[in-house]
Amino acid sequence: MIHHISISAINPLGVAQALAKVMKGQIAPFPPHPGSYFVFPGDEHGTAIEVYPLGSEIAPGAAANEQCMFVHNANSSMFTATHAAISVPVSQAEIEQVGVSEGWRVVRCSRESFFDVIEFWLENRLMIELLTPEMASQYLAFTKTEKLQEVFATAAN
């Protein structure tokens, strides 16, 4: 179970507000890292997304027993391989409405015909796969252990 993820954004508050709309969640400042926000739908899993300013990095503490610390990288890339698939309680039309209002790329895609997702490109630089309730059902059917073993065995041949 993934309970939270962290991402970076050029406009952390704006991204947090858009995510709160599609997640039907709330936003709060994230005190450990000023200028950051915590988005949470208040579900039974403790699901949340921490949105940091672009260039934020998490580094190990200086001493062996120190917790991680935030550092800033002024030369960070605008893109990353990091992404998440997130089930949301809204329709494709509602997702598209939020994306269009922000001027962001929103594209419904089929992942190898196994399940569909909506690529929701935060600030047109960070892709989050949003799954409507119908898409979440497809995804959950695909990710059953037996199905994944079958798919990976076929792919290995």
Side-chain angles (χ1 to χ4, degrees):
M1 171 68 60
I2 296 173
H3 294 286
H4 78 261
I5 62 169
S6 59
I7 62 173
S8 62
I10 296 167
N11 177 358
L13 179 57
V15 167
Q17 290 169 331
L19 286 170
K21 287 177 188 172
V22 298
M23 295 174 74
K24 297 284 188 206
Q26 301 176 52
I27 302 167
F30 186 66
H33 191 41
S36 301
Y37 296 89
F38 191 75
V39 181
F40 59 103
D43 65 15
E44 67 275 11
H45 305 292
T47 303
I49 300 176
E50 297 168 8
V51 185
Y52 306 149
L54 184 64
S56 298
E57 294 180 352
I58 298 175
N65 62 346
E66 272 186 354
Q67 69 178 348
C68 66
M69 60 185 161
F70 292 99
V71 296
H72 182 77
N73 178 352
N75 297 313
S76 66
S77 173
M78 292 290 287
F79 299 101
T80 179
T82 302
H83 73 282
I86 302 173
S87 294
V88 294
V90 297
S91 68
Q92 179 174 339
E94 291 171 286
I95 293 168
E96 290 170 344
Q97 180 181 9
V98 172
V100 167
S101 72
E102 297 292 334
W104 298 341
R105 178 181 170 89
V106 178
V107 181
R108 183 174 179 145
C109 301
S110 174
R111 297 297 191 234
E112 305 296 325
S113 299
F114 294 118
F115 57 90
D116 287 0
V117 301
I118 297 174
E119 291 185 359
F120 192 70
W121 285 85
L122 304 172
E123 299 179 321
N124 293 316
R125 55 167 289 281
L126 175 67
M127 189 263 297
I128 300 291
E129 295 171 325
L130 297 181
L131 290 82
T132 64
E134 86 180 46
M135 293 172 190
S137 294
Q138 293 173 344
Y139 178 84
L140 291 172
F142 172 73
T143 57
K144 291 193 182 305
T145 301
E146 303 78 29
K147 178 69 174 176
L148 288 175
Q149 289 171 337
E150 174 189 318
V151 169
F152 292 139
T154 302
N157 294 331

mmCIF file with all atom_site columns, all heavy atoms in Angstrom, residues 82-108:
data_model
loop_
_atom_site.group_PDB
_atom_site.id
_atom_site.type_symbol
_atom_site.label_atom_id
_atom_site.label_alt_id
_atom_site.label_comp_id
_atom_site.label_asym_id
_atom_site.label_entity_id
_atom_site.label_seq_id
_atom_site.pdbx_PDB_ins_code
_atom_site.Cartn_x
_atom_site.Cartn_y
_atom_site.Cartn_z
_atom_site.occupancy
_atom_site.B_iso_or_equiv
_atom_site.pdbx_formal_charge
_atom_site.auth_seq_id
_atom_site.auth_comp_id
_atom_site.auth_asym_id
_atom_site.auth_atom_id
_atom_site.pdbx_PDB_model_num
ATOM 1   N N   . THR A 1 82  ? 9.484   9.529  -12.410 1.00 0.00 ? 82  THR A N   1
ATOM 2   C CA  . THR A 1 82  ? 8.573   9.273  -11.303 1.00 0.00 ? 82  THR A CA  1
ATOM 3   C C   . THR A 1 82  ? 7.157   9.674  -11.690 1.00 0.00 ? 82  THR A C   1
ATOM 4   O O   . THR A 1 82  ? 6.927   10.756 -12.207 1.00 0.00 ? 82  THR A O   1
ATOM 5   C CB  . THR A 1 82  ? 9.008   10.069 -10.059 1.00 0.00 ? 82  THR A CB  1
ATOM 6   O OG1 . THR A 1 82  ? 10.345  9.696  -9.733  1.00 0.00 ? 82  THR A OG1 1
ATOM 7   C CG2 . THR A 1 82  ? 8.090   9.809  -8.887  1.00 0.00 ? 82  THR A CG2 1
ATOM 8   N N   . HIS A 1 83  ? 6.241   8.768  -11.454 1.00 0.00 ? 83  HIS A N   1
ATOM 9   C CA  . HIS A 1 83  ? 4.826   9.060  -11.674 1.00 0.00 ? 83  HIS A CA  1
ATOM 10  C C   . HIS A 1 83  ? 4.016   8.144  -10.764 1.00 0.00 ? 83  HIS A C   1
ATOM 11  O O   . HIS A 1 83  ? 4.578   7.271  -10.109 1.00 0.00 ? 83  HIS A O   1
ATOM 12  C CB  . HIS A 1 83  ? 4.431   8.893  -13.144 1.00 0.00 ? 83  HIS A CB  1
ATOM 13  C CG  . HIS A 1 83  ? 4.355   7.478  -13.599 1.00 0.00 ? 83  HIS A CG  1
ATOM 14  N ND1 . HIS A 1 83  ? 5.463   6.723  -13.901 1.00 0.00 ? 83  HIS A ND1 1
ATOM 15  C CD2 . HIS A 1 83  ? 3.286   6.657  -13.779 1.00 0.00 ? 83  HIS A CD2 1
ATOM 16  C CE1 . HIS A 1 83  ? 5.091   5.510  -14.263 1.00 0.00 ? 83  HIS A CE1 1
ATOM 17  N NE2 . HIS A 1 83  ? 3.765   5.436  -14.197 1.00 0.00 ? 83  HIS A NE2 1
ATOM 18  N N   . ALA A 1 84  ? 2.724   8.361  -10.716 1.00 0.00 ? 84  ALA A N   1
ATOM 19  C CA  . ALA A 1 84  ? 1.854   7.529  -9.893  1.00 0.00 ? 84  ALA A CA  1
ATOM 20  C C   . ALA A 1 84  ? 0.542   7.323  -10.615 1.00 0.00 ? 84  ALA A C   1
ATOM 21  O O   . ALA A 1 84  ? 0.126   8.165  -11.409 1.00 0.00 ? 84  ALA A O   1
ATOM 22  C CB  . ALA A 1 84  ? 1.592   8.214  -8.545  1.00 0.00 ? 84  ALA A CB  1
ATOM 23  N N   . ALA A 1 85  ? -0.086  6.186  -10.353 1.00 0.00 ? 85  ALA A N   1
ATOM 24  C CA  . ALA A 1 85  ? -1.446  5.934  -10.814 1.00 0.00 ? 85  ALA A CA  1
ATOM 25  C C   . ALA A 1 85  ? -2.341  6.116  -9.595  1.00 0.00 ? 85  ALA A C   1
ATOM 26  O O   . ALA A 1 85  ? -2.128  5.463  -8.573  1.00 0.00 ? 85  ALA A O   1
ATOM 27  C CB  . ALA A 1 85  ? -1.580  4.530  -11.387 1.00 0.00 ? 85  ALA A CB  1
ATOM 28  N N   . ILE A 1 86  ? -3.320  7.003  -9.716  1.00 0.00 ? 86  ILE A N   1
ATOM 29  C CA  . ILE A 1 86  ? -4.152  7.357  -8.580  1.00 0.00 ? 86  ILE A CA  1
ATOM 30  C C   . ILE A 1 86  ? -5.623  7.221  -8.950  1.00 0.00 ? 86  ILE A C   1
ATOM 31  O O   . ILE A 1 86  ? -6.086  7.813  -9.922  1.00 0.00 ? 86  ILE A O   1
ATOM 32  C CB  . ILE A 1 86  ? -3.864  8.805  -8.129  1.00 0.00 ? 86  ILE A CB  1
ATOM 33  C CG1 . ILE A 1 86  ? -2.381  8.946  -7.760  1.00 0.00 ? 86  ILE A CG1 1
ATOM 34  C CG2 . ILE A 1 86  ? -4.770  9.207  -6.977  1.00 0.00 ? 86  ILE A CG2 1
ATOM 35  C CD1 . ILE A 1 86  ? -1.961  10.370 -7.465  1.00 0.00 ? 86  ILE A CD1 1
ATOM 36  N N   . SER A 1 87  ? -6.358  6.450  -8.162  1.00 0.00 ? 87  SER A N   1
ATOM 37  C CA  . SER A 1 87  ? -7.802  6.346  -8.344  1.00 0.00 ? 87  SER A CA  1
ATOM 38  C C   . SER A 1 87  ? -8.442  7.608  -7.784  1.00 0.00 ? 87  SER A C   1
ATOM 39  O O   . SER A 1 87  ? -8.097  8.048  -6.686  1.00 0.00 ? 87  SER A O   1
ATOM 40  C CB  . SER A 1 87  ? -8.356  5.138  -7.597  1.00 0.00 ? 87  SER A CB  1
ATOM 41  O OG  . SER A 1 87  ? -7.873  3.949  -8.170  1.00 0.00 ? 87  SER A OG  1
ATOM 42  N N   . VAL A 1 88  ? -9.356  8.172  -8.553  1.00 0.00 ? 88  VAL A N   1
ATOM 43  C CA  . VAL A 1 88  ? -10.055 9.388  -8.124  1.00 0.00 ? 88  VAL A CA  1
ATOM 44  C C   . VAL A 1 88  ? -11.562 9.158  -8.238  1.00 0.00 ? 88  VAL A C   1
ATOM 45  O O   . VAL A 1 88  ? -12.007 8.373  -9.073  1.00 0.00 ? 88  VAL A O   1
ATOM 46  C CB  . VAL A 1 88  ? -9.626  10.617 -8.961  1.00 0.00 ? 88  VAL A CB  1
ATOM 47  C CG1 . VAL A 1 88  ? -8.156  10.956 -8.703  1.00 0.00 ? 88  VAL A CG1 1
ATOM 48  C CG2 . VAL A 1 88  ? -9.861  10.410 -10.449 1.00 0.00 ? 88  VAL A CG2 1
ATOM 49  N N   . PRO A 1 89  ? -12.357 9.846  -7.410  1.00 0.00 ? 89  PRO A N   1
ATOM 50  C CA  . PRO A 1 89  ? -13.801 9.618  -7.414  1.00 0.00 ? 89  PRO A CA  1
ATOM 51  C C   . PRO A 1 89  ? -14.567 10.516 -8.375  1.00 0.00 ? 89  PRO A C   1
ATOM 52  O O   . PRO A 1 89  ? -15.721 10.848 -8.127  1.00 0.00 ? 89  PRO A O   1
ATOM 53  C CB  . PRO A 1 89  ? -14.176 9.936  -5.962  1.00 0.00 ? 89  PRO A CB  1
ATOM 54  C CG  . PRO A 1 89  ? -13.238 11.034 -5.588  1.00 0.00 ? 89  PRO A CG  1
ATOM 55  C CD  . PRO A 1 89  ? -11.940 10.686 -6.297  1.00 0.00 ? 89  PRO A CD  1
ATOM 56  N N   . VAL A 1 90  ? -13.919 10.917 -9.475  1.00 0.00 ? 90  VAL A N   1
ATOM 57  C CA  . VAL A 1 90  ? -14.559 11.825 -10.421 1.00 0.00 ? 90  VAL A CA  1
ATOM 58  C C   . VAL A 1 90  ? -14.551 11.213 -11.818 1.00 0.00 ? 90  VAL A C   1
ATOM 59  O O   . VAL A 1 90  ? -13.844 10.250 -12.092 1.00 0.00 ? 90  VAL A O   1
ATOM 60  C CB  . VAL A 1 90  ? -13.876 13.216 -10.424 1.00 0.00 ? 90  VAL A CB  1
ATOM 61  C CG1 . VAL A 1 90  ? -14.017 13.890 -9.066  1.00 0.00 ? 90  VAL A CG1 1
ATOM 62  C CG2 . VAL A 1 90  ? -12.410 13.120 -10.820 1.00 0.00 ? 90  VAL A CG2 1
ATOM 63  N N   . SER A 1 91  ? -15.320 11.807 -12.710 1.00 0.00 ? 91  SER A N   1
ATOM 64  C CA  . SER A 1 91  ? -15.438 11.310 -14.086 1.00 0.00 ? 91  SER A CA  1
ATOM 65  C C   . SER A 1 91  ? -14.324 11.858 -14.968 1.00 0.00 ? 91  SER A C   1
ATOM 66  O O   . SER A 1 91  ? -13.622 12.811 -14.605 1.00 0.00 ? 91  SER A O   1
ATOM 67  C CB  . SER A 1 91  ? -16.780 11.737 -14.671 1.00 0.00 ? 91  SER A CB  1
ATOM 68  O OG  . SER A 1 91  ? -16.796 13.161 -14.839 1.00 0.00 ? 91  SER A OG  1
ATOM 69  N N   . GLN A 1 92  ? -14.202 11.258 -16.146 1.00 0.00 ? 92  GLN A N   1
ATOM 70  C CA  . GLN A 1 92  ? -13.250 11.757 -17.131 1.00 0.00 ? 92  GLN A CA  1
ATOM 71  C C   . GLN A 1 92  ? -13.546 13.214 -17.465 1.00 0.00 ? 92  GLN A C   1
ATOM 72  O O   . GLN A 1 92  ? -12.628 14.030 -17.569 1.00 0.00 ? 92  GLN A O   1
ATOM 73  C CB  . GLN A 1 92  ? -13.297 10.895 -18.399 1.00 0.00 ? 92  GLN A CB  1
ATOM 74  C CG  . GLN A 1 92  ? -12.341 11.393 -19.478 1.00 0.00 ? 92  GLN A CG  1
ATOM 75  C CD  . GLN A 1 92  ? -12.280 10.465 -20.682 1.00 0.00 ? 92  GLN A CD  1
ATOM 76  O OE1 . GLN A 1 92  ? -12.617 9.284  -20.598 1.00 0.00 ? 92  GLN A OE1 1
ATOM 77  N NE2 . GLN A 1 92  ? -11.839 10.992 -21.802 1.00 0.00 ? 92  GLN A NE2 1
ATOM 78  N N   . ALA A 1 93  ? -14.814 13.561 -17.614 1.00 0.00 ? 93  ALA A N   1
ATOM 79  C CA  . ALA A 1 93  ? -15.186 14.945 -17.946 1.00 0.00 ? 93  ALA A CA  1
ATOM 80  C C   . ALA A 1 93  ? -14.726 15.915 -16.863 1.00 0.00 ? 93  ALA A C   1
ATOM 81  O O   . ALA A 1 93  ? -14.236 17.011 -17.169 1.00 0.00 ? 93  ALA A O   1
ATOM 82  C CB  . ALA A 1 93  ? -16.699 15.048 -18.145 1.00 0.00 ? 93  ALA A CB  1
ATOM 83  N N   . GLU A 1 94  ? -14.862 15.517 -15.595 1.00 0.00 ? 94  GLU A N   1
ATOM 84  C CA  . GLU A 1 94  ? -14.423 16.390 -14.503 1.00 0.00 ? 94  GLU A CA  1
ATOM 85  C C   . GLU A 1 94  ? -12.906 16.554 -14.502 1.00 0.00 ? 94  GLU A C   1
ATOM 86  O O   . GLU A 1 94  ? -12.393 17.644 -14.266 1.00 0.00 ? 94  GLU A O   1
ATOM 87  C CB  . GLU A 1 94  ? -14.902 15.841 -13.158 1.00 0.00 ? 94  GLU A CB  1
ATOM 88  C CG  . GLU A 1 94  ? -16.408 15.940 -12.966 1.00 0.00 ? 94  GLU A CG  1
ATOM 89  C CD  . GLU A 1 94  ? -16.894 15.197 -11.742 1.00 0.00 ? 94  GLU A CD  1
ATOM 90  O OE1 . GLU A 1 94  ? -16.929 13.942 -11.780 1.00 0.00 ? 94  GLU A OE1 1
ATOM 91  O OE2 . GLU A 1 94  ? -17.226 15.872 -10.752 1.00 0.00 ? 94  GLU A OE2 1
ATOM 92  N N   . ILE A 1 95  ? -12.194 15.480 -14.780 1.00 0.00 ? 95  ILE A N   1
ATOM 93  C CA  . ILE A 1 95  ? -10.730 15.552 -14.868 1.00 0.00 ? 95  ILE A CA  1
ATOM 94  C C   . ILE A 1 95  ? -10.332 16.482 -16.001 1.00 0.00 ? 95  ILE A C   1
ATOM 95  O O   . ILE A 1 95  ? -9.461  17.345 -15.844 1.00 0.00 ? 95  ILE A O   1
ATOM 96  C CB  . ILE A 1 95  ? -10.130 14.144 -15.070 1.00 0.00 ? 95  ILE A CB  1
ATOM 97  C CG1 . ILE A 1 95  ? -10.351 13.284 -13.822 1.00 0.00 ? 95  ILE A CG1 1
ATOM 98  C CG2 . ILE A 1 95  ? -8.643  14.232 -15.431 1.00 0.00 ? 95  ILE A CG2 1
ATOM 99  C CD1 . ILE A 1 95  ? -10.062 11.809 -14.029 1.00 0.00 ? 95  ILE A CD1 1
ATOM 100 N N   . GLU A 1 96  ? -10.964 16.299 -17.162 1.00 0.00 ? 96  GLU A N   1
ATOM 101 C CA  . GLU A 1 96  ? -10.661 17.148 -18.315 1.00 0.00 ? 96  GLU A CA  1
ATOM 102 C C   . GLU A 1 96  ? -10.959 18.612 -18.023 1.00 0.00 ? 96  GLU A C   1
ATOM 103 O O   . GLU A 1 96  ? -10.198 19.500 -18.416 1.00 0.00 ? 96  GLU A O   1
ATOM 104 C CB  . GLU A 1 96  ? -11.439 16.668 -19.543 1.00 0.00 ? 96  GLU A CB  1
ATOM 105 C CG  . GLU A 1 96  ? -10.924 15.343 -20.076 1.00 0.00 ? 96  GLU A CG  1
ATOM 106 C CD  . GLU A 1 96  ? -11.812 14.722 -21.137 1.00 0.00 ? 96  GLU A CD  1
ATOM 107 O OE1 . GLU A 1 96  ? -12.997 15.131 -21.281 1.00 0.00 ? 96  GLU A OE1 1
ATOM 108 O OE2 . GLU A 1 96  ? -11.326 13.802 -21.820 1.00 0.00 ? 96  GLU A OE2 1
ATOM 109 N N   . GLN A 1 97  ? -12.045 18.869 -17.313 1.00 0.00 ? 97  GLN A N   1
ATOM 110 C CA  . GLN A 1 97  ? -12.404 20.247 -16.974 1.00 0.00 ? 97  GLN A CA  1
ATOM 111 C C   . GLN A 1 97  ? -11.309 20.905 -16.126 1.00 0.00 ? 97  GLN A C   1
ATOM 112 O O   . GLN A 1 97  ? -10.929 22.049 -16.377 1.00 0.00 ? 97  GLN A O   1
ATOM 113 C CB  . GLN A 1 97  ? -13.737 20.270 -16.225 1.00 0.00 ? 97  GLN A CB  1
ATOM 114 C CG  . GLN A 1 97  ? -14.196 21.658 -15.838 1.00 0.00 ? 97  GLN A CG  1
ATOM 115 C CD  . GLN A 1 97  ? -15.512 21.631 -15.068 1.00 0.00 ? 97  GLN A CD  1
ATOM 116 O OE1 . GLN A 1 97  ? -16.002 20.591 -14.672 1.00 0.00 ? 97  GLN A OE1 1
ATOM 117 N NE2 . GLN A 1 97  ? -16.077 22.804 -14.861 1.00 0.00 ? 97  GLN A NE2 1
ATOM 118 N N   . VAL A 1 98  ? -10.796 20.185 -15.142 1.00 0.00 ? 98  VAL A N   1
ATOM 119 C CA  . VAL A 1 98  ? -9.721  20.731 -14.299 1.00 0.00 ? 98  VAL A CA  1
ATOM 120 C C   . VAL A 1 98  ? -8.472  20.960 -15.143 1.00 0.00 ? 98  VAL A C   1
ATOM 121 O O   . VAL A 1 98  ? -7.846  22.026 -15.075 1.00 0.00 ? 98  VAL A O   1
ATOM 122 C CB  . VAL A 1 98  ? -9.419  19.803 -13.105 1.00 0.00 ? 98  VAL A CB  1
ATOM 123 C CG1 . VAL A 1 98  ? -8.181  20.279 -12.342 1.00 0.00 ? 98  VAL A CG1 1
ATOM 124 C CG2 . VAL A 1 98  ? -10.627 19.727 -12.173 1.00 0.00 ? 98  VAL A CG2 1
ATOM 125 N N   . GLY A 1 99  ? -8.112  19.974 -15.954 1.00 0.00 ? 99  GLY A N   1
ATOM 126 C CA  . GLY A 1 99  ? -6.919  20.112 -16.795 1.00 0.00 ? 99  GLY A CA  1
ATOM 127 C C   . GLY A 1 99  ? -7.015  21.274 -17.765 1.00 0.00 ? 99  GLY A C   1
ATOM 128 O O   . GLY A 1 99  ? -6.079  22.069 -17.900 1.00 0.00 ? 99  GLY A O   1
ATOM 129 N N   . VAL A 1 100 ? -8.144  21.404 -18.436 1.00 0.00 ? 100 VAL A N   1
ATOM 130 C CA  . VAL A 1 100 ? -8.348  22.496 -19.395 1.00 0.00 ? 100 VAL A CA  1
ATOM 131 C C   . VAL A 1 100 ? -8.278  23.846 -18.679 1.00 0.00 ? 100 VAL A C   1
ATOM 132 O O   . VAL A 1 100 ? -7.655  24.793 -19.172 1.00 0.00 ? 100 VAL A O   1
ATOM 133 C CB  . VAL A 1 100 ? -9.686  22.329 -20.151 1.00 0.00 ? 100 VAL A CB  1
ATOM 134 C CG1 . VAL A 1 100 ? -10.071 23.593 -20.907 1.00 0.00 ? 100 VAL A CG1 1
ATOM 135 C CG2 . VAL A 1 100 ? -9.600  21.149 -21.116 1.00 0.00 ? 100 VAL A CG2 1
ATOM 136 N N   . SER A 1 101 ? -8.885  23.939 -17.497 1.00 0.00 ? 101 SER A N   1
ATOM 137 C CA  . SER A 1 101 ? -8.863  25.213 -16.769 1.00 0.00 ? 101 SER A CA  1
ATOM 138 C C   . SER A 1 101 ? -7.447  25.614 -16.376 1.00 0.00 ? 101 SER A C   1
ATOM 139 O O   . SER A 1 101 ? -7.144  26.798 -16.245 1.00 0.00 ? 101 SER A O   1
ATOM 140 C CB  . SER A 1 101 ? -9.766  25.150 -15.537 1.00 0.00 ? 101 SER A CB  1
ATOM 141 O OG  . SER A 1 101 ? -9.195  24.343 -14.534 1.00 0.00 ? 101 SER A OG  1
ATOM 142 N N   . GLU A 1 102 ? -6.564  24.631 -16.213 1.00 0.00 ? 102 GLU A N   1
ATOM 143 C CA  . GLU A 1 102 ? -5.165  24.910 -15.867 1.00 0.00 ? 102 GLU A CA  1
ATOM 144 C C   . GLU A 1 102 ? -4.279  25.068 -17.106 1.00 0.00 ? 102 GLU A C   1
ATOM 145 O O   . GLU A 1 102 ? -3.129  25.479 -16.991 1.00 0.00 ? 102 GLU A O   1
ATOM 146 C CB  . GLU A 1 102 ? -4.600  23.783 -14.996 1.00 0.00 ? 102 GLU A CB  1
ATOM 147 C CG  . GLU A 1 102 ? -5.281  23.629 -13.653 1.00 0.00 ? 102 GLU A CG  1
ATOM 148 C CD  . GLU A 1 102 ? -5.032  24.794 -12.709 1.00 0.00 ? 102 GLU A CD  1
ATOM 149 O OE1 . GLU A 1 102 ? -3.997  25.482 -12.840 1.00 0.00 ? 102 GLU A OE1 1
ATOM 150 O OE2 . GLU A 1 102 ? -5.882  25.028 -11.827 1.00 0.00 ? 102 GLU A OE2 1
ATOM 151 N N   . GLY A 1 103 ? -4.811  24.685 -18.281 1.00 0.00 ? 103 GLY A N   1
ATOM 152 C CA  . GLY A 1 103 ? -4.004  24.721 -19.501 1.00 0.00 ? 103 GLY A CA  1
ATOM 153 C C   . GLY A 1 103 ? -3.050  23.541 -19.603 1.00 0.00 ? 103 GLY A C   1
ATOM 154 O O   . GLY A 1 103 ? -2.024  23.620 -20.263 1.00 0.00 ? 103 GLY A O   1
ATOM 155 N N   . TRP A 1 104 ? -3.403  22.421 -18.961 1.00 0.00 ? 104 TRP A N   1
ATOM 156 C CA  . TRP A 1 104 ? -2.541  21.245 -18.920 1.00 0.00 ? 104 TRP A CA  1
ATOM 157 C C   . TRP A 1 104 ? -3.007  20.177 -19.905 1.00 0.00 ? 104 TRP A C   1
ATOM 158 O O   . TRP A 1 104 ? -4.187  20.033 -20.198 1.00 0.00 ? 104 TRP A O   1
ATOM 159 C CB  . TRP A 1 104 ? -2.518  20.628 -17.531 1.00 0.00 ? 104 TRP A CB  1
ATOM 160 C CG  . TRP A 1 104 ? -1.978  21.524 -16.455 1.00 0.00 ? 104 TRP A CG  1
ATOM 161 C CD1 . TRP A 1 104 ? -1.203  22.642 -16.602 1.00 0.00 ? 104 TRP A CD1 1
ATOM 162 C CD2 . TRP A 1 104 ? -2.178  21.370 -15.062 1.00 0.00 ? 104 TRP A CD2 1
ATOM 163 N NE1 . TRP A 1 104 ? -0.908  23.187 -15.388 1.00 0.00 ? 104 TRP A NE1 1
ATOM 164 C CE2 . TRP A 1 104 ? -1.504  22.420 -14.406 1.00 0.00 ? 104 TRP A CE2 1
ATOM 165 C CE3 . TRP A 1 104 ? -2.874  20.456 -14.276 1.00 0.00 ? 104 TRP A CE3 1
ATOM 166 C CZ2 . TRP A 1 104 ? -1.481  22.564 -13.027 1.00 0.00 ? 104 TRP A CZ2 1
ATOM 167 C CZ3 . TRP A 1 104 ? -2.859  20.601 -12.909 1.00 0.00 ? 104 TRP A CZ3 1
ATOM 168 C CH2 . TRP A 1 104 ? -2.165  21.636 -12.293 1.00 0.00 ? 104 TRP A CH2 1
ATOM 169 N N   . ARG A 1 105 ? -2.067  19.386 -20.365 1.00 0.00 ? 105 ARG A N   1
ATOM 170 C CA  . ARG A 1 105 ? -2.337  18.250 -21.244 1.00 0.00 ? 105 ARG A CA  1
ATOM 171 C C   . ARG A 1 105 ? -3.101  17.184 -20.450 1.00 0.00 ? 105 ARG A C   1
ATOM 172 O O   . ARG A 1 105 ? -2.707  16.808 -19.347 1.00 0.00 ? 105 ARG A O   1
ATOM 173 C CB  . ARG A 1 105 ? -1.006  17.699 -21.756 1.00 0.00 ? 105 ARG A CB  1
ATOM 174 C CG  . ARG A 1 105 ? -1.111  16.489 -22.632 1.00 0.00 ? 105 ARG A CG  1
ATOM 175 C CD  . ARG A 1 105 ? 0.312   16.035 -23.050 1.00 0.00 ? 105 ARG A CD  1
ATOM 176 N NE  . ARG A 1 105 ? 0.272   14.756 -23.687 1.00 0.00 ? 105 ARG A NE  1
ATOM 177 C CZ  . ARG A 1 105 ? 0.113   14.559 -24.988 1.00 0.00 ? 105 ARG A CZ  1
ATOM 178 N NH1 . ARG A 1 105 ? -0.026  15.593 -25.794 1.00 0.00 ? 105 ARG A NH1 1
ATOM 179 N NH2 . ARG A 1 105 ? 0.093   13.338 -25.494 1.00 0.00 ? 105 ARG A NH2 1
ATOM 180 N N   . VAL A 1 106 ? -4.196  16.689 -21.040 1.00 0.00 ? 106 VAL A N   1
ATOM 181 C CA  . VAL A 1 106 ? -5.006  15.617 -20.453 1.00 0.00 ? 106 VAL A CA  1
ATOM 182 C C   . VAL A 1 106 ? -5.349  14.668 -21.588 1.00 0.00 ? 106 VAL A C   1
ATOM 183 O O   . VAL A 1 106 ? -5.981  15.078 -22.565 1.00 0.00 ? 106 VAL A O   1
ATOM 184 C CB  . VAL A 1 106 ? -6.299  16.168 -19.813 1.00 0.00 ? 106 VAL A CB  1
ATOM 185 C CG1 . VAL A 1 106 ? -7.146  15.033 -19.251 1.00 0.00 ? 106 VAL A CG1 1
ATOM 186 C CG2 . VAL A 1 106 ? -5.986  17.201 -18.741 1.00 0.00 ? 106 VAL A CG2 1
ATOM 187 N N   . VAL A 1 107 ? -4.923  13.392 -21.483 1.00 0.00 ? 107 VAL A N   1
ATOM 188 C CA  . VAL A 1 107 ? -5.124  12.441 -22.575 1.00 0.00 ? 107 VAL A CA  1
ATOM 189 C C   . VAL A 1 107 ? -5.554  11.089 -22.009 1.00 0.00 ? 107 VAL A C   1
ATOM 190 O O   . VAL A 1 107 ? -4.885  10.542 -21.125 1.00 0.00 ? 107 VAL A O   1
ATOM 191 C CB  . VAL A 1 107 ? -3.812  12.228 -23.382 1.00 0.00 ? 107 VAL A CB  1
ATOM 192 C CG1 . VAL A 1 107 ? -4.029  11.261 -24.529 1.00 0.00 ? 107 VAL A CG1 1
ATOM 193 C CG2 . VAL A 1 107 ? -3.247  13.537 -23.874 1.00 0.00 ? 107 VAL A CG2 1
ATOM 194 N N   . ARG A 1 108 ? -6.668  10.556 -22.516 1.00 0.00 ? 108 ARG A N   1
ATOM 195 C CA  . ARG A 1 108 ? -7.066  9.198  -22.141 1.00 0.00 ? 108 ARG A CA  1
ATOM 196 C C   . ARG A 1 108 ? -6.252  8.230  -22.992 1.00 0.00 ? 108 ARG A C   1
ATOM 197 O O   . ARG A 1 108 ? -6.185  8.359  -24.212 1.00 0.00 ? 108 ARG A O   1
ATOM 198 C CB  . ARG A 1 108 ? -8.563  8.968  -22.369 1.00 0.00 ? 108 ARG A CB  1
ATOM 199 C CG  . ARG A 1 108 ? -8.987  7.584  -21.906 1.00 0.00 ? 108 ARG A CG  1
ATOM 200 C CD  . ARG A 1 108 ? -10.467 7.369  -21.976 1.00 0.00 ? 108 ARG A CD  1
ATOM 201 N NE  . ARG A 1 108 ? -10.792 6.016  -21.533 1.00 0.00 ? 108 ARG A NE  1
ATOM 202 C CZ  . ARG A 1 108 ? -11.876 5.697  -20.862 1.00 0.00 ? 108 ARG A CZ  1
ATOM 203 N NH1 . ARG A 1 108 ? -12.767 6.623  -20.558 1.00 0.00 ? 108 ARG A NH1 1
ATOM 204 N NH2 . ARG A 1 108 ? -12.091 4.450  -20.505 1.00 0.00 ? 108 ARG A NH2 1
#
